[in-house]
Amino acid sequence: SSVVSQSDSCCFFSGCSRRPTSPSNTILKCDLHRLEEGPPLKAELTRDQGLQYYRTMQTVRRMELKADQLYKQKIIRGFCHLYDGQEACAAGIEASINPTDHLITAYRAHGYTYTRGVSIKEILAELTGRKGGVAKGKGGSMHMYAPHFYGGNGIVGAQVPLGAGIALACQYQGNNQLCVTLYGDGAANQGQLFESFNMAALWKLPCIFICENNKYGMGTSVERASASIDYYKRGDFIPGIRVDGMDVLCVREATKFAADHCRSGKGPIVMELQTYRYHGHSMSDPGVSYRTREEIQEVRTKSDPISMLKERMLSNNMASVEEFKEIDVDIRKQVEEAAQFATSDPEPPLEDLCNHIFYNNPPLEVRGTNPWSKLKSVS
Amino acid sequence: SPLFHKFLKEALNKVPKDKCVTVRDALNQAMDEELERDERVFLLGEEVAQYDGAYKVSRGLWKKYGDKRIIDTPISEMGFAGIAVGAAMAGLRPICEFMTFNFSMQAIDQVINSAAKTCYMSAGLQAVPIVFRGPNGASAGVAAQHSQCFAAWYAHCPGLKVVSPWNSEDAKGLLKSSIRDDNPVVFLENELLYGVPFEMSEEAQSKDFTIPIGKAKVERAGSHITLVSHSRYVGHCLDAAAVLAKEGIECEVINLRTIRPMDVESIEASVMKTNHLVTVEGGWPQFGVGAEICARIMEGSAFNYLDSPVTRVTGVDIPMPYAKILEDHSLPQIKDIIFSVKKTLNV
């Protein structure tokens, strides 16, 4: 059977080896910390699953590229942190948890906003600041929400204690749900993470702490930021797994393993997903002053998560080139329609300016820019 | 039996209908009643459980409700405040205690950016029903790092409600309302008031007694000058008013009860009657509660009724010193209030 990518392309992501061999057997191996056993070395991939993961990842990819375009046209403004390259993380995680589980991440959140159920239309319209956006244009790129999805958080690291708190609520309510709490290699050095690790371990909170290590915190490479770049070990007394974050099956199996760990009452677990972002830190960063174009290109050609899944399915005769083309065409159409909506939908009405300060609250008066400007706020 | 004695006493009318309850016990009652009423309510913070609370405010609650509802945390303010906010987002109703509000500075990002702003940023999709409570402002002899008043800092921020009770009725009624509110509330207590007993009416002793957030109370009616204050200094104002009354100066004393949203209408109504206003607070003068009151009065209908500019009585603009004589002179004393009233009235 044909091999999707050579194992030495995996050297870029140290500590993980992967050798796909047969249609439904894929050998995955993760580095383990304080664990006797890790995720299974074989993963089943059905045709339906494969096509679904492909569709999810391709949708996120095209949505992010559309956002790039809209930003350059100045239709999206402010902060815009794109997720292209990291799709396997969001897709793999969502494939392994239930819709009733909970998820929280930082500001590189568009991919998760989609996988957690918000439409492309509502995401793009939020980016363009229109009333049809998921937060009615009040939040923007970093503040999108959905049931069991808590954003979208702008303060690096703050989402981690929040995630531990959501896990506490799951434990308190005894609903067998868990919380996936994501952060980056940059946030991994925030003190509040270690406070969260301590309490989560003490109280055995059902929290999966996941570090999306894309090798750069803004313009600072991991070697320049962290005394230890073994992010899966940084939970110290919390078991950890290091995972190839470019392989959606790796991510799925590892997250399933982690979820079982949490649900069995063993407490929290840390995962490190080794991944890569093609764009710079944000749209104002070309992303080449602190890394080489060659590096970016190498990842694109050898480790692109969407290409790898497609190649795997093609080489195992699970789908045809035409089928993938059809999916691509359909996704392009959907993204285009969503972009149309996002550019034509009106901005929120000025009457909405002061609304939603409070929840379930009687209307109140809000001071405008001057004493004669008395504005109204409703919940 | 105890029950028989109770009936006997009542029959002999020996038990007063109103009784004295300390602020500490009033807060304890409020939390106890709300914990019982709604199983989503829980308390977390340092020493709240097995120690019975650093200032014994949560005494007896851990024994009654156990580990699940009364949670001792490690010394990790940013972490446990964030955990509390996350729990509130996911459907619980946490009471997050800061041992003092000085320590809330460690966690202030979670209070402001994660709690206060979220309902707005999410256009109402995500509520954060949380209460942050603990002692605020000066204590006695605890020096600069443990004596700051945070009323102005928190009251600056949209998305928060900021409450500052004075007496036991305030404490109980406002804490119950705060816990029942679906929004983030910063509840500023005062350590020096914890042990002070106040009369509590029978009504106030009921399990459904609440005081609305955002409404001030006129504690004493008067016609010559309005004194506006919050927390401990309401008591100072009443003491000053008693002294001034002997000289024929009748002060109207307003207890703000809530800093944000501030009940400016009550202040304005009073000023339109008395034509003079003095604000009294323990916090520093610059950008403080009194400064806000001055600005609001100037912008509103009561300005034209003022016969003299508003006077602010505040803490001295210094970090809190330790030596008793210095500490005493760092905070408003009753004589400072009396002096300021007379200056404002030009008598």
Side-chain angles (χ1 to χ4, degrees):
Chain A
S1 57
S2 62
V3 174
V4 171
S5 51
Q6 302 301 317
S7 59
D8 48 34
S9 81
C10 214
C11 286
F12 185 78
F13 305 95
S14 64
C16 190
S17 51
R18 183 192 65 253
R19 292 188 304 285
T21 53
S22 63
S24 58
N25 286 331
T26 313
I27 297 173
L28 315 157
K29 185 175 172 291
C30 299
D31 292 317
L32 303 177
H33 171 69
R34 288 189 187 269
L35 283 167
E36 290 299 317
E37 282 169 6
L41 298 178
K42 291 182 183 179
E44 294 277 330
L45 179 67
T46 68
R47 185 187 127 84
D48 281 346
Q49 284 170 344
L51 291 175
Q52 191 204 322
Y53 303 159
Y54 179 85
R55 184 176 269 280
T56 299
M57 293 197 288
Q58 188 70 291
T59 303
V60 173
R61 175 68 58 90
R62 300 250 57 98
M63 181 179 74
E64 295 293 79
L65 292 179
K66 178 57 70 176
D68 168 282
Q69 201 180 64
L70 292 170
Y71 195 94
K72 284 168 177 156
Q73 294 173 303
K74 297 197 197 296
I75 300 171
I76 295 176
R77 28 174 236 112
F79 288 134
C80 192
H81 308 87
L82 297 179
Y83 197 68
D84 49 312
Q86 301 185 212
E87 296 86 354
C89 298
I93 290 170
E94 193 61 37
S96 64
I97 61 173
N98 304 321
T100 47
D101 288 321
H102 308 259
L103 189 142
I104 189 170
T105 185
Y107 49 75
R108 200 175 302 280
H110 309 157
Y112 290 102
T113 312
Y114 176 72
T115 55
R116 283 266 96 190
V118 180
S119 66
I120 312 166
K121 207 172 88 159
E122 281 185 292
I123 294 173
L124 289 181
E126 188 60 35
L127 292 178
T128 56
R130 308 302 165 99
K131 69 176 180 39
V134 63
K136 302 191 168 84
K138 299 294 256 306
S141 169
M142 299 182 290
H143 308 295
M144 305 197 215
Y145 304 81
H148 296 229
F149 174 60
Y150 304 82
N153 288 274
I155 308 297
V156 172
Q159 77 278 12
V160 177
L162 295 179
I166 295 162
L168 180 98
C170 294
Q171 185 189 65
Y172 188 105
Q173 293 164 332
N175 53 27
N176 203 36
Q177 292 162 10
L178 53 81
C179 185
V180 175
T181 302
L182 292 133
Y183 56 97
D185 48 278
N189 294 317
Q190 272 268 311
Q192 56 189 317
L193 260 73
F194 300 93
E195 296 187 12
S196 305
F197 290 160
N198 181 44
M199 285 182 274
L202 258 184
W203 302 332
K204 293 197 157 38
L205 301 181
C207 189
I208 307 176
F209 294 105
I210 302 187
C211 177
E212 282 181 292
N213 177 4
N214 61 17
K215 303 183 69 59
Y216 299 92
M218 211 158 162
T220 307
S221 68
V222 292
E223 297 82 24
R224 292 204 305 126
S226 302
S228 162
I229 60 169
D230 293 332
Y231 295 101
Y232 71 114
K233 291 184 183 173
R234 297 285 290 277
D236 188 6
F237 35 77
I238 299 180
I241 317 173
R242 180 159 57 191
V243 181
D244 179 1
M246 303 306 261
D247 182 341
V248 66
L249 286 185
C250 245
V251 177
R252 185 190 76 184
E253 291 307 308
T255 314
K256 251 192 207 157
F257 175 88
D260 289 341
H261 177 102
C262 285
R263 276 190 242 275
S264 67
K266 293 194 183 117
I269 190 167
V270 171
M271 276 170 56
E272 175 187 341
L273 300 180
Q274 300 206 297
T275 184
Y276 199 83
R277 53 165 163 83
Y278 294 142
H279 269 84
H281 163 69
S282 71
M283 284 305 297
S284 51
D285 170 28
V288 288
S289 63
Y290 49 86
R291 56 183 190 173
T292 63
R293 291 181 204 275
E294 289 72 39
E295 179 187 279
I296 306 169
Q297 198 47 34
E298 177 163 12
V299 178
R300 266 197 207 278
T301 44
K302 293 194 179 156
S303 311
D304 182 274
I306 300 173
S307 306
M308 291 205 309
L309 176 64
K310 182 172 167 184
E311 289 304 316
R312 171 177 282 152
M313 290 182 72
L314 285 174
S315 66
N316 289 294
N317 296 314
M318 294 175 82
S320 68
V321 171
E322 287 73 36
E323 276 181 292
F324 283 116
K325 269 215 179 82
E326 269 175 37
I327 295 176
D328 288 351
V329 165
D330 183 48
I331 290 172
R332 255 181 223 274
K333 182 162 156 285
Q334 281 186 43
V335 171
E336 201 48 56
E337 279 170 10
Q340 268 306 307
F341 175 76
T343 41
S344 60
D345 198 44
E347 288 188 287
L350 282 179
E351 293 73 55
D352 206 34
L353 179 68
C354 298
N355 290 339
H356 312 117
I357 296 174
F358 291 127
Y359 187 84
N360 191 24
N361 205 68
L364 59 134
E365 192 180 274
V366 173
R367 187 192 196 276
T369 59
N370 62 73
W372 298 274
S373 169
K374 296 185 206 288
L375 308 172
K376 189 161 171 218
S377 174
V378 299
S379 282
Chain B
S1 74
L3 206 59
F4 173 74
H5 277 112
K6 179 175 177 285
F7 284 131
L8 189 63
K9 268 188 174 174
E10 278 177 345
L12 295 174
N13 215 20
K14 286 250 168 78
V15 178
K17 286 265 148 68
D18 292 6
K19 66 173 197 170
C20 272
V21 177
T22 62
V23 170
R24 172 185 289 113
D25 288 344
L27 293 168
N28 187 284
Q29 272 176 36
M31 287 197 284
D32 192 353
E33 288 170 8
E34 295 306 299
L35 283 158
E36 193 178 280
R37 177 181 178 269
D38 187 338
E39 59 181 19
R40 298 169 298 173
V41 176
F42 72 100
L43 172 67
L44 87 167
E46 293 154 11
E47 311 303 337
V48 297
Q50 295 191 18
Y51 198 89
D52 271 334
Y55 301 98
K56 307 301 179 206
V57 177
S58 55
R59 175 168 44 209
L61 296 179
W62 174 65
K63 252 203 186 124
K64 185 170 175 185
Y65 294 100
D67 287 331
K68 179 180 170 182
R69 317 254 336 257
I70 313 292
I71 303 176
D72 276 337
T73 65
I75 306 174
S76 307
E77 275 77 5
M78 198 166 187
F80 72 70
I83 282 177
V85 175
M89 290 178 172
L92 300 184
R93 303 188 72 91
I95 306 168
C96 177
E97 177 175 306
F98 290 120
M99 196 182 279
T100 77
F101 265 94
N102 300 286
F103 312 145
S104 74
M105 271 203 285
Q106 305 253 309
I108 202 163
D109 176 66
Q110 296 289 0
V111 178
I112 306 301
N113 280 319
S114 301
K117 297 179 184 173
T118 293
C119 187
Y120 185 86
M121 291 191 295
S122 67
L125 286 176
Q126 181 62 69
V128 187
I130 188 167
V131 177
F132 298 100
R133 53 158 288 274
N136 175 61
S139 176
V142 295
Q145 292 178 341
H146 288 75
S147 304
Q148 187 169 332
C149 176
F150 287 85
W153 282 33
Y154 287 117
H156 185 59
C157 300
L160 285 182
K161 300 186 185 184
V162 180
V163 174
S164 184
W166 166 55
N167 62 14
S168 300
E169 278 203 19
D170 287 358
K172 183 175 175 188
L174 287 169
L175 185 52
K176 284 167 79 75
S177 291
S178 301
I179 294 168
R180 294 184 192 192
D181 201 302
D182 288 336
N183 297 284
V185 179
V186 170
F187 191 87
L188 304 170
E189 300 161 7
N190 187 292
E191 199 226 314
L192 297 171
L193 287 174
Y194 282 153
V196 179
F198 291 94
E199 259 186 48
M200 263 180 94
S201 64
E202 201 177 332
E203 188 214 344
Q205 288 166 53
S206 107
K207 283 189 178 176
D208 285 305
F209 172 73
T210 58
I211 290 177
I213 294 174
K215 199 84 191 69
K217 183 181 177 205
V218 178
E219 297 286 352
R220 181 190 196 280
S223 48
H224 297 132
I225 187 164
T226 302
L227 304 182
V228 180
S229 186
H230 72 100
S231 188
R232 182 157 173 261
Y233 297 92
V234 174
H236 282 46
C237 287
L238 289 168
D239 291 345
V243 173
L244 287 161
K246 296 197 184 112
E247 298 179 47
I249 299 173
E250 291 301 325
C251 301
E252 180 145 293
V253 177
I254 297 181
N255 171 6
L256 277 176
R257 286 179 157 179
T258 301
I259 313 290
R260 181 181 182 115
M262 188 182 291
D263 182 4
V264 183
E265 287 77 28
S266 292
I267 307 175
E268 286 176 327
S270 179
V271 168
M272 294 202 276
K273 192 175 68 169
T274 67
N275 312 120
H276 299 87
L277 178 57
V278 173
T279 70
V280 184
E281 68 196 286
W284 293 317
Q286 299 195 40
F287 307 91
V289 175
E292 176 66 16
I293 294 173
C294 289
R296 300 279 276 269
I297 290 295
M298 278 215 295
E299 289 181 348
S301 42
F303 174 70
N304 289 313
Y305 290 76
L306 284 172
D307 287 346
S308 62
V310 180
T311 297
R312 296 178 296 162
V313 177
T314 70
V316 177
D317 205 5
I318 51 171
M320 180 66 69
Y322 167 67
K324 186 163 197 318
I325 188 173
L326 297 181
E327 185 180 61
D328 287 345
H329 286 83
S330 304
L331 294 164
Q333 299 182 35
I334 293 165
K335 64 176 168 69
D336 298 319
I337 303 174
I338 292 170
F339 173 82
S340 298
V341 165
K342 289 182 174 172
K343 284 289 265 188
T344 308
L345 288 171
N346 201 24
V347 299

